[in-house]
Amino acid sequence: MSDSALTITPVGSEPAAGVAPEVLFMGLDAGGTRCRARIRDASGRLLGEGEAGPANARRGSRAAMDAMITAARAALVAGRLPGDGLSRVVAGAGLAGVSQKREMEAMRAEPHPFARLELATDFETACLGAHGGGDGGIVIVGTGSAAYARVAGAEFRFGGWGFEVGDDGGGAPLGREVVRHALRAADGLAPRGPLAEEALARLGGDQDAAVEWVGRAAPSDFGRLAPLVFAHAERDPEAARLRGECAAHVATLVLRLIACGAERVALVGGLSEAITPHLAGPARDRLVKPAADATEGALMLVRKSAP
Amino acid sequence: MSDSALTITPVGSEPAAGVAPEVLFMGLDAGGTRCRARIRDASGRLLGEGEAGPANARRGSRAAMDAMITAARAALVAGRLPGDGLSRVVAGAGLAGVSQKREMEAMRAEPHPFARLELATDFETACLGAHGGGDGGIVIVGTGSAAYARVAGAEFRFGGWGFEVGDDGGGAPLGREVVRHALRAADGLAPRGPLAEEALARLGGDQDAAVEWVGRAAPSDFGRLAPLVFAHAERDPEAARLRGECAAHVATLVLRLIACGAERVALVGGLSEAITPHLAGPARDRLVKPAADATEGALMLVRKSAP
């Protein structure tokens, strides 16, 4: 779900106590759109980064693990490290699409080439990264949406139950509303403004083409239509309405985390910058910039708990 | 899409001119939930009725044709007619799931055992039945929704583009909103009233069970949750809100047909009785009771055009 492009902030510069210098640390952000890998040595020095395709565990644990290994090998190559070096790597990974225990268990059962692999959800790693391992909350506003917080040892989680019924505020449900509006406008059931015009053009020009597009579309395809809402909101009332609904969903998640005791909340994910100015004051006022990204949070899973 | 249970009104009692007395006429309502068949002789006398499972052409033309043949054979049996009698039958069928030309062409290409088979969409046959072959409009409010009218030789069609993006006002999108509300209530993001309580119980009790349910659910499964909205609307504000949104969608479709010149509009489908009292006056005032059901409309396809 997390899809942010943040400046990389190395976490810590001291070697973790007792770790032999040849051990390497890797963070993996196994997202629904792509999988990112980052290697640091025990001193925290960045050695290399790599990327691979989608690693959404809901689409199959083996495919997700393969994407993680591909990204990990790409990071080794980028760091000019031997290709067989994964057996020296202690890796932490944040996984998209594991809202169910079953999916996490399937991932834990997959064979892997790492010296050790610690798994967490993508919202746990996003939260670790955003607050440098400290208490706080995050609201993911990427293809999907979800809210998560750690407060005094307790964990809270809201939303993120999937594209069809539980990702309100995320890009995929917003893109679906764009398609719905385009079809209604084409039928003369809603005004045919610039949002509908551009969406219809992207969907093939008419209702039949749009229905065919929907039949082939993945959540990420719907998500790619979400930016149209922000592009047209100043001159198309329907776009403004959809932007407002999206902002209301995100604000509800932020306020829920605050009510759970989260002192600081960060928005992460591809839509977070676009939606922030439109949140209601009480939600917007509590937002902080994320300290680091989910890949860095995944590194913290193992760099904190390393022997 | 059409799913109404109406009193059967025989259409005409005079034999169509020039039809040999041994020719039988059949109407087929090939819906997404079930397929109904009805046989009449040339004088309009009811000989038998039969039923089979779903015949949604979007799920495959061969399976849809097989369901039609099964329902047709059941009608022969009910009428104590010989089982090989389909070669004497001139059949008309209204098909769900053929919003695209491609799907209708696939159905036309399927081999069939009838003497002749005339195909139309389910909204055409629903309209023929509702207005006895005369001008008028229908709004289908079943698992899906769609609006259709015939006015002075012209045809109009709005909505009905599918569960994900184009069936607003239908039972499946309404049921999806019930699931969405139940998940939000379980997360403390919306009030947990009687609608959410009953929906959560039906979905397995908690968020994980609900997400698993969604993974297995067909549009008809979502549609079966829609009646909860009507059951709880008097004492649950969220149910009242969802009912109001549903009524607004249906009213928009009714008014669009009136704007196209439809003097009379009938609601058909499983939710039509429940939603009618909640339509805004200007839409409700133009509604008429359907004269007959879509199976009767399918019969009119061939009894009107018989040689």
Side-chain angles (χ1 to χ4, degrees):
Chain A
M1 276 181 277
S2 165
D3 198 9
S4 59
L6 297 163
T7 312
I8 297 156
T9 313
V11 175
S13 52
E14 298 296 307
V19 174
E22 67 276 26
V23 173
L24 301 174
F25 294 96
M26 181 179 288
L28 288 153
D29 180 27
T33 305
R34 66 184 68 82
C35 182
R36 293 188 178 92
R38 187 177 299 151
I39 310 183
R40 295 188 183 279
D41 66 16
S43 72
R45 193 163 58 101
L46 178 64
L47 300 180
E49 291 187 296
E51 203 173 291
N56 190 324
R58 197 173 293 166
R59 305 238 179 127
S61 55
R62 189 62 235 164
M65 185 62 79
D66 284 343
M68 286 164 56
I69 294 167
T70 301
R73 292 220 167 98
L76 287 180
V77 169
R80 299 184 188 178
L81 296 159
D84 62 352
L86 293 185
S87 61
R88 289 167 58 201
V89 167
V90 173
L95 308 174
V98 291
S99 60
Q100 311 256 19
K101 281 170 204 150
R102 188 166 45 92
E103 289 146 352
M104 184 61 95
E105 280 158 18
M107 284 300 294
R108 288 194 206 285
E110 286 294 338
H112 65 76
F114 302 101
R116 188 160 68 82
L117 176 62
E118 188 148 331
L119 300 178
T121 63
D122 60 344
F123 34 85
E124 288 172 274
T125 51
C127 191
L128 282 172
H131 301 295
D135 277 7
I138 51 140
V139 175
I140 299 177
V141 197
T143 301
S145 75
Y148 176 84
R150 293 172 63 125
V151 181
E155 287 187 312
F156 301 92
R157 194 204 139 179
F158 309 108
W161 302 113
F163 170 60
E164 298 90 346
V165 293
D167 277 342
D168 290 328
L174 186 56
R176 183 177 53 209
E177 292 308 310
V178 169
V179 178
R180 185 193 307 281
H181 170 61
L183 282 167
R184 290 171 56 77
D187 273 348
L189 300 167
R192 191 161 173 159
L195 173 63
E197 288 295 347
E198 185 169 354
L200 273 172
R202 294 266 289 265
L203 295 168
D206 64 14
Q207 293 100 319
D208 279 355
V211 171
E212 280 204 41
W213 185 94
V214 168
R216 291 188 310 266
S220 55
D221 296 313
F222 283 99
R224 273 188 281 275
L225 296 174
L228 298 186
V229 168
F230 296 92
H232 292 294
E234 300 311 321
R235 57 197 188 111
D236 186 320
E238 181 65 16
R241 188 182 69 75
L242 292 175
R243 186 180 66 183
E245 281 184 5
C246 177
H249 287 304
V250 174
T252 300
L253 292 168
V254 171
L255 294 173
R256 188 80 181 86
L257 294 180
I258 292 171
C260 291
E263 299 276 334
R264 303 176 306 167
V265 177
L267 294 196
V268 302
L271 288 182
S272 53
E273 276 191 40
I275 202 66
T276 297
H278 306 287
L279 300 186
R284 198 175 63 233
D285 294 347
R286 296 292 277 272
L287 293 183
V288 298
K289 287 251 173 223
D293 65 11
T295 312
E296 210 56 44
L299 260 163
M300 295 173 68
L301 280 178
V302 287
R303 284 189 34 89
K304 277 175 54 157
S305 62
Chain B
M1 274 181 278
S2 166
D3 198 9
S4 59
L6 297 163
T7 314
I8 297 157
T9 312
V11 174
S13 52
E14 298 296 309
V19 174
E22 67 273 27
V23 173
L24 301 173
F25 295 96
M26 180 178 287
L28 289 153
D29 181 27
T33 304
R34 68 185 66 83
C35 182
R36 293 188 178 92
R38 187 176 299 149
I39 311 183
R40 296 189 182 279
D41 66 15
S43 73
R45 192 163 58 100
L46 178 64
L47 301 181
E49 291 187 296
E51 202 173 291
N56 190 325
R58 197 175 293 167
R59 305 236 180 131
S61 54
R62 190 62 235 165
M65 185 61 80
D66 284 343
M68 287 164 57
I69 294 167
T70 302
R73 292 220 167 98
L76 286 179
V77 170
R80 299 185 190 177
L81 296 159
D84 61 353
L86 292 185
S87 61
R88 289 167 58 201
V89 166
V90 172
L95 308 174
V98 291
S99 60
Q100 310 257 19
K101 282 172 205 151
R102 190 165 45 90
E103 289 147 352
M104 184 61 95
E105 280 159 19
M107 285 301 293
R108 288 196 207 285
E110 286 294 338
H112 65 77
F114 303 101
R116 189 158 69 81
L117 176 63
E118 188 148 330
L119 300 177
T121 63
D122 60 343
F123 34 85
E124 289 172 274
T125 52
C127 191
L128 282 170
H131 301 295
D135 277 6
I138 51 142
V139 175
I140 299 177
V141 198
T143 302
S145 74
Y148 175 84
R150 293 170 63 125
V151 180
E155 287 187 313
F156 301 92
R157 194 203 138 178
F158 308 107
W161 302 114
F163 170 61
E164 298 90 346
V165 293
D167 277 342
D168 291 327
L174 186 57
R176 183 177 52 207
E177 293 307 309
V178 169
V179 178
R180 185 193 307 282
H181 171 61
L183 282 167
R184 289 172 56 77
D187 273 348
L189 301 167
R192 192 161 172 157
L195 173 63
E197 288 295 346
E198 185 170 353
L200 273 173
R202 295 265 290 265
L203 296 169
D206 64 14
Q207 293 101 318
D208 278 355
V211 171
E212 280 204 41
W213 184 95
V214 168
R216 291 188 309 267
S220 54
D221 296 313
F222 282 100
R224 275 188 280 275
L225 297 174
L228 298 185
V229 168
F230 296 92
H232 292 294
E234 300 310 321
R235 58 199 186 108
D236 187 321
E238 181 66 14
R241 188 183 67 76
L242 292 176
R243 185 180 69 183
E245 280 184 6
C246 177
H249 287 303
V250 175
T252 300
L253 291 168
V254 171
L255 295 173
R256 188 80 180 87
L257 295 179
I258 292 170
C260 292
E263 299 276 335
R264 303 176 307 167
V265 178
L267 294 196
V268 301
L271 288 182
S272 52
E273 277 190 39
I275 202 67
T276 297
H278 306 287
L279 301 186
R284 197 174 64 234
D285 295 347
R286 296 293 278 274
L287 294 183
V288 298
K289 285 249 174 224
D293 65 9
T295 311
E296 211 55 44
L299 260 163
M300 294 175 68
L301 280 179
V302 286
R303 284 187 35 88
K304 278 177 50 159
S305 62

